[in-house]
Amino acid sequence: MEQNQMPQPGPGLCGSDREIFERVWGRVTRSGGAESPIEPVPAAEWPHAPQYIQGYMPQVTAPEPAPVPAMPAPVQPEPSPAPEPRRAEAADIRCLGPSSAVHGAELQAFIEDELGDHRTYTALSRRTAGQASRTFASMAADEKRHAKRLSAAYFLISGVRYWPADRAPVRLEGTYLSTLRSRFLGEQKGEAEYRAAAGQTEDPCLRELYLELAEDENAHGWMLRGMLEKM
């Protein structure tokens, strides 16, 4: 019968595996299929069980991973236009600019005072001789130079040149000594006024000018004191 023909062992059987296959097949032919041809096989007869199982297990291929969709490229925002530079306003000019116009009347008063001192020292230079005359002439030139510097600052701030018209020469009253004393006090007063004005302005150039003039007024006071000490 076709049933009694022993099939050839598969290609994966060899050694003890072939012996186990023949034993199982003999039981099948003897029982005619009534009994189960499978019987427990001692573990000692399966020395190569892992290889046996491996020979008959189908090779399982891992599925190929699904393609990952490409991420869309990030949208680059369009660069915003650079802001236009702010134009400087008149209030931004801090050094002798229009914002210092609040000091206009103050500058006019200082110019007039310096011109008055110039006339006074010119008169004293003409009334004296020698070293005293030269000292008064030098002080008169300083006072006129102060007036010119203040007038230039006034023009830069306002655009208008302020220079009072020349007046008649001053008439000296009192004695020579009393005149020197009054001028000594006047120089100290002028120094104090310049320093006070420098502390009240936010214009750095005007502040510097006031402080420089204050130093000159202080120097004039020391010159007058020296003249009195030599008499």
Side-chain angles (χ1 to χ4, degrees):
M1 293 179 62
E2 184 179 357
Q3 182 179 5
N4 294 329
Q5 295 179 359
M6 185 178 74
Q8 296 298 320
L13 300 180
C14 61
S16 61
D17 297 338
R18 183 181 295 276
E19 295 175 3
I20 295 171
F21 178 81
E22 292 176 353
R23 186 188 308 167
V24 174
W25 179 250
R27 293 189 60 188
V28 172
T29 55
R30 290 195 304 271
S31 62
E35 298 179 21
S36 173
I38 305 302
E39 64 179 354
V41 179
E45 299 181 7
W46 291 79
H48 304 290
Q51 289 81 348
Y52 177 80
I53 298 173
Q54 183 178 4
Y56 280 88
M57 288 183 66
Q59 297 294 329
V60 179
T61 304
E64 296 183 0
V68 180
M71 295 292 293
V75 179
Q76 297 294 338
E78 295 183 0
S80 56
E84 295 183 0
R86 187 180 69 88
R87 295 186 177 182
E89 302 294 340
D92 298 330
I93 304 175
R94 300 179 56 206
C95 180
L96 302 178
S99 60
S100 298
V102 293
H103 303 292
E106 176 182 81
L107 284 169
Q108 290 180 359
F110 281 147
I111 293 171
E112 293 174 1
D113 288 344
E114 294 291 351
L115 289 177
D117 292 345
H118 163 71
R119 290 190 295 270
T120 299
Y121 288 126
T122 299
L124 286 171
S125 176
R126 293 172 180 173
R127 296 270 304 266
T128 56
Q131 183 61 40
S133 177
R134 290 189 293 272
T135 300
F136 288 133
S138 175
M139 295 173 67
D142 288 345
E143 303 295 5
K144 190 171 185 178
R145 179 172 53 86
H146 294 172
K148 289 183 177 180
R149 296 188 66 187
L150 292 166
S151 179
Y154 185 90
F155 175 77
L156 291 174
I157 293 173
S158 64
V160 177
R161 177 168 173 77
Y162 182 77
W163 190 259
D166 291 338
R167 300 179 182 178
V170 295
R171 297 181 58 182
L172 298 176
E173 298 180 358
T175 65
Y176 177 68
L177 294 178
S178 64
T179 301
L180 291 181
R181 179 178 179 275
S182 64
R183 292 310 313 147
F184 173 75
L185 297 176
E187 295 294 343
Q188 292 188 77
K189 179 176 179 291
E191 177 188 0
E193 290 177 348
Y194 278 133
R195 294 192 184 280
Q200 296 175 359
T201 180
E202 296 181 359
D203 187 326
C205 296
L206 196 58
R207 181 186 306 113
E208 181 180 3
L209 174 60
Y210 284 161
L211 292 177
E212 290 177 0
L213 298 183
E215 291 295 330
D216 287 350
E217 300 299 311
N218 178 268
H220 289 171
W222 279 100
M223 293 170 67
L224 293 168
R225 178 180 174 181
M227 295 174 66
L228 286 169
E229 291 174 348
K230 292 178 180 180
M231 294 179 66

